[in-house]
Amino acid sequence: MKKNPKNLAPSFKDLEKLKELRFQNKFFRNHPNALELFLESARANEEKIAVEFEGKEITYAKFLEDISSVRLPNLEKNSLVAIVNANKYEEVSIFLALLFASYVPIIITKEMPSKEKKYIKNLVAYTLNPRKKGMEGFIQASTLEYESNNDFGPLFFSSNSTKKNPKLILTSQRAIAHFCLWQSSYFSETNYRFSQLSSVTSDIYLREIFTCFLSASCLVLPTEEDTKNILTYLETKKISVLNSVPNLAYTYLQKLDKKHVNSHLSFIFFTGERLPLDLVKAYDHFCVNKVKIFNLYGSSETNLAKIYYVYKPDFKGDYLPLKKSLSKSEYYLEKNRVFIKTLFGAYGYINQQDKDFTWQDNGYLVYKTKDLASVVDKSKYLFVNSRLENQKKISGKSINLEFYEDALKLALNTKVFALIFHKEKVRVFTDFKNNEVLLKTLTKYLPKNIQGGIFKIKRLCLNSHGKLDRKALADIPKALKKNIKKNEVKKVKFKNIIVNILKTKNFKLDDDFLSLIKDPSSCSLLANALTEAYKKNITIEYIAKYSSLRDLKNSLKRKLTKKDLPVKGLNPNPID
């Protein structure tokens, strides 16, 4: 446990005022919080298995005992505490212990970027490390009690965080409980087995924990070995409830054997992105049980997954729509932009304002999303078309990045890491090995005036929410451009060009080119070949200035000048 010497813990005073506003709404004030629901369910099901980790089964009674034995610092309420170097089971138990102590927890994982880790460590009041000793002087969470007027939940990074501007969102315990009550209403029995695959930076992590315990079910914590093949993990661990985002669900399918079947999955909740029908059918196909598949919409890290649709096999279309809203929630469109109005949402960003959050006097939140959508009048279905940042204009035409990503994935069953549009070219970054097939598929879906280019990269560019991380790819085009320029010059073999022009190897670099040629058109051919190879405006007059091929070669190595640049639209060396 390490005290932060800089004492940069955030002030929650503004959010405390916001909490007071929300508590003026009687329905919100009287709604149970997440800890209350968890404690009631855990005490009523003490003999049932709560958690399974590394082959061990932990009952609810033992789980409550482990939570109450976590040693915590004596801090003011709403102090921000980070958890580091914890295994999966310790993460969950310490996480809940901090919430019971009315602290605001945040988990630091090994996978987090170093800048995010440093940012958190400078922000928190304490860093709690279960691997270290020396806990004297700290209180022990000996009683499992919660304050009914406490509503602050943990902190999560927003999906639009950047290295320069990290954004942390404070969640609401009542908003978490509100969602979990809706989700668990579909479960007709207890003893389900929940996966715990979501990142600790997303409130899907909370849904998996609290909905599981609210349903008196078992949370199956995966080991590092389990995560290497998720479909095998889902089958061998008998997982019945899966929460995922479509992009991660695609990656699970990469190792799918055609003979693979799953005899345990009963519920799949997709959220965070548009849900292609082909992906739904793929999961529906290998599940032996009649699996219930949900398409959820709303920002995953702000407790705003409020609109949903339950998949029906007779649905026809490329993407699943949205239909209903959770209680005390609704959506509407303004200029095709989606707005969500709800009584149950996160409090917003700490230490900074966000214009997308608007609070009304009755405690309702109006959240302006960055998504564009449309409603089909006959069916009243809501179709989310794209995000504002994914709309690109090429040659006057509006291009939607997500459309091409999904088209490629559906056509090739491959992970598409990113599509980057530059002028009239599309660059695809992917792990797919057969570039020719990928390029053909790409051009099939692109307008005729746009060219495609394939570049392979080593690492998976998905962010912690399972979405394509375009921010992580922002520097790739620049680096790639520099690479190409260097490589183009290096790969040019001056001697090979001369051999192709003269049709002979019988010459030396000290020879004069003009004395070697027999056909006058060879000068034009050489000028054009050098212009193409070196990206310079090489003319016949330029070649004639040099008395030897060696001098000509050396001149081509110097830096470009404006005089060397080729004239657009003109061939400087016409051949008669």
Side-chain angles (χ1 to χ4, degrees):
M1 194 175 296
K2 181 183 175 183
K3 187 174 180 179
N4 178 12
K6 296 185 180 179
N7 196 24
L8 298 175
S11 170
F12 292 104
K13 287 183 180 178
D14 292 339
L15 297 176
E16 279 282 4
K17 292 177 182 178
L18 182 54
K19 190 182 81 171
E20 290 174 10
L21 170 68
R22 300 181 82 175
F23 269 61
Q24 290 175 15
N25 186 297
K26 186 178 179 181
F27 191 91
F28 184 88
R29 185 174 66 251
N30 294 335
H31 196 280
N33 67 22
L35 291 178
E36 181 181 351
L37 294 176
F38 161 67
L39 209 53
E40 286 178 3
S41 179
R43 285 174 173 167
N45 300 280
E46 288 190 341
E47 300 307 312
K48 290 187 176 179
I49 303 300
V51 180
E52 184 180 302
F53 179 58
E54 293 182 341
K56 297 178 182 178
E57 294 184 338
I58 297 125
T59 63
Y60 275 92
K62 179 66 170 66
F63 185 44
L64 290 174
E65 184 183 323
D66 289 345
I67 294 170
S68 65
S69 66
V70 175
R71 297 182 68 83
L72 299 172
N74 191 4
L75 302 169
E76 292 181 4
K77 290 180 183 178
N78 300 328
S79 293
L80 183 54
V81 180
I83 305 168
V84 296
N85 296 332
N87 63 35
K88 287 284 186 182
Y89 181 68
E90 289 168 339
E91 275 181 6
V92 177
S93 54
I94 296 173
F95 190 84
L96 289 170
L98 289 170
L99 286 176
F100 274 113
S102 296
Y103 299 153
V104 176
I106 186 166
I107 300 173
I108 299 177
T109 64
K110 292 179 182 178
E111 296 77 23
M112 271 187 181
S114 57
K115 287 194 175 181
E116 282 190 5
K117 290 179 184 177
K118 187 176 179 181
Y119 176 76
I120 295 172
K121 287 179 180 178
N122 286 336
L123 200 65
V124 299
Y126 277 87
T127 301
L128 198 156
N129 185 347
R131 304 274 84 82
K132 286 188 177 181
K133 297 180 180 179
M135 310 290 281
E136 297 79 7
F138 295 102
I139 63 168
Q140 184 171 326
S142 57
T143 57
L144 292 173
E145 297 179 356
Y146 58 88
E147 294 188 19
S148 59
N149 65 343
N150 184 32
D151 189 53
F152 288 169
L155 282 177
F156 291 120
F157 274 105
S158 167
S159 58
N160 62 352
S161 289
T162 61
K163 292 179 181 178
K164 292 183 180 179
N165 185 24
K167 291 186 177 181
L168 284 169
I169 288 179
L170 180 65
T171 55
S172 159
Q173 284 199 42
R174 280 168 173 76
I176 297 162
H178 178 253
F179 180 90
C180 293
L181 283 169
W182 166 80
Q183 194 173 28
S184 61
S185 67
Y186 284 92
F187 305 147
S188 57
E189 55 187 75
T190 59
N191 295 325
Y192 288 105
R193 291 172 64 82
F194 282 67
S195 68
Q196 221 285 293
L197 296 170
S198 299
S199 165
V200 297
T201 61
S202 165
D203 75 352
I204 300 176
Y205 176 80
L206 290 179
R207 296 180 210 164
E208 290 172 333
I209 292 173
F210 284 107
T211 305
C212 173
F213 298 149
L214 177 60
S215 310
S217 297
C218 177
L219 186 67
V220 183
L221 302 175
T223 62
E224 192 173 334
E225 190 64 30
D226 290 331
T227 58
K228 291 179 181 177
N229 193 325
I230 298 300
L231 293 183
T232 302
Y233 157 77
L234 295 175
E235 176 63 20
T236 55
K237 300 296 182 181
K238 301 179 181 179
I239 302 298
S240 45
V241 182
L242 171 66
N243 290 274
S244 183
V245 294
N247 259 315
L248 285 178
Y250 270 117
T251 66
Y252 303 159
L253 290 176
Q254 297 306 304
K255 296 181 180 180
L256 178 63
D257 189 324
K258 291 182 179 180
K259 297 178 181 179
H260 180 89
V261 293
N262 185 293
S263 53
H264 304 287
L265 269 176
S266 300
F267 297 91
I268 304 177
F269 294 87
F270 286 110
T271 189
E273 298 160 349
R274 292 188 306 165
L275 182 56
L277 182 62
D278 287 49
L279 178 64
V280 173
K281 286 183 174 179
Y283 275 83
D284 192 33
H285 177 72
F286 70 75
C287 290
V288 174
N289 294 339
K290 191 176 180 182
V291 63
K292 213 174 187 99
I293 298 176
F294 292 76
N295 181 28
L296 280 158
Y297 171 75
S299 177
S300 59
E301 73 276 3
T302 53
N303 307 142
L304 286 170
K306 303 298 182 188
I307 314 167
Y308 68 98
Y309 170 78
V310 184
Y311 169 65
K312 296 176 182 177
D314 60 348
F315 174 78
K316 294 180 180 179
D318 294 328
Y319 299 91
L320 259 62
L322 298 155
K323 183 74 173 179
K324 298 179 180 179
S325 300
L326 273 64
S327 65
K328 302 295 179 180
S329 305
E330 62 181 80
Y331 72 86
Y332 59 92
L333 303 182
E334 283 187 9
K335 295 182 178 179
N336 293 331
R337 193 166 180 174
V338 184
F339 287 73
I340 295 176
K341 181 180 178 181
T342 181
L343 186 60
F344 296 96
Y347 282 89
Y349 299 113
I350 63 166
N351 296 348
Q352 55 185 300
Q353 297 294 321
D354 185 12
K355 295 178 182 178
D356 294 335
F357 284 82
T358 305
W359 293 92
Q360 299 180 342
D361 293 338
N362 59 0
Y364 273 80
L365 162 67
V366 177
Y367 180 68
K368 181 167 65 172
T369 75
K370 293 179 173 59
D371 294 313
L372 301 174
S374 57
V375 176
V376 178
D377 291 331
K378 291 182 180 179
S379 61
K380 298 295 181 184
Y381 284 153
L382 175 71
F383 287 91
V384 177
N385 300 319
S386 68
R387 290 182 68 79
L388 287 172
E389 66 225 38
N390 292 338
Q391 293 291 315
K392 303 291 179 185
K393 278 203 168 182
I394 300 182
S395 301
K397 293 184 179 180
S398 182
I399 301 294
N400 179 9
L401 289 172
E402 292 176 13
F403 172 80
Y404 295 104
E405 288 167 357
D406 292 341
L408 287 164
K409 281 185 282 191
L410 296 178
L412 298 168
N413 191 25
T414 181
K415 299 187 289 288
V416 176
F417 294 164
L419 278 162
I420 295 181
F421 285 72
H422 179 64
K423 294 183 179 178
E424 292 192 355
K425 290 187 177 181
V426 183
R427 285 176 176 169
V428 182
F429 295 86
T430 179
D431 72 334
F432 194 65
K433 294 178 182 178
N434 192 336
N435 284 350
E436 290 183 11
V437 176
L438 183 58
L439 191 57
K440 285 180 182 177
T441 308
L442 176 66
T443 51
K444 178 182 175 183
Y445 290 98
L446 288 173
K448 291 180 180 179
N449 63 323
I450 298 175
Q451 300 172 352
I454 309 297
F455 300 91
K456 189 173 180 182
I457 56 177
K458 292 180 180 179
R459 73 180 187 88
L460 178 67
C461 291
L462 294 177
N463 63 22
S464 57
H465 306 280
K467 298 178 183 178
L468 289 173
D469 190 356
R470 293 191 184 85
K471 289 167 188 169
L473 288 164
D475 295 330
I476 288 182
K478 297 174 188 174
L480 193 62
K481 197 174 181 181
K482 289 178 183 177
N483 242 5
I484 290 171
K485 279 187 177 179
K486 288 178 183 177
N487 290 341
E488 278 173 347
V489 176
K490 285 180 182 178
K491 287 180 182 177
V492 171
K493 290 193 175 180
F494 179 81
K495 196 168 183 179
N496 289 351
I497 294 173
I498 304 301
V499 170
N500 290 336
I501 300 294
L502 298 176
K503 307 298 181 186
T504 180
K505 293 182 180 180
N506 190 20
F507 65 89
K508 295 179 181 179
L509 286 178
D510 291 326
D511 292 340
D512 181 2
F513 177 76
L514 296 177
S515 66
L516 296 172
I517 61 173
K518 296 178 181 179
D519 186 351
S521 66
S522 295
C523 281
S524 293
L525 291 172
L526 177 61
N528 286 332
L530 294 177
T531 297
E532 178 65 28
Y534 288 89
K535 308 302 178 188
K536 294 186 178 185
N537 187 13
I538 308 300
T539 61
I540 297 172
E541 290 77 10
Y542 183 95
I543 295 170
K545 285 194 301 182
Y546 298 97
S547 58
S548 70
L549 290 172
R550 190 182 304 280
D551 291 340
L552 176 60
K553 179 184 177 183
N554 291 337
S555 75
L556 295 170
K557 291 180 181 179
R558 63 183 173 80
K559 291 183 179 180
L560 293 173
T561 65
K562 288 185 179 179
K563 293 180 180 179
D564 293 320
L565 295 174
V567 181
K568 290 183 179 179
L570 295 176
N571 183 350
N573 307 291
I575 300 174
D576 296 330

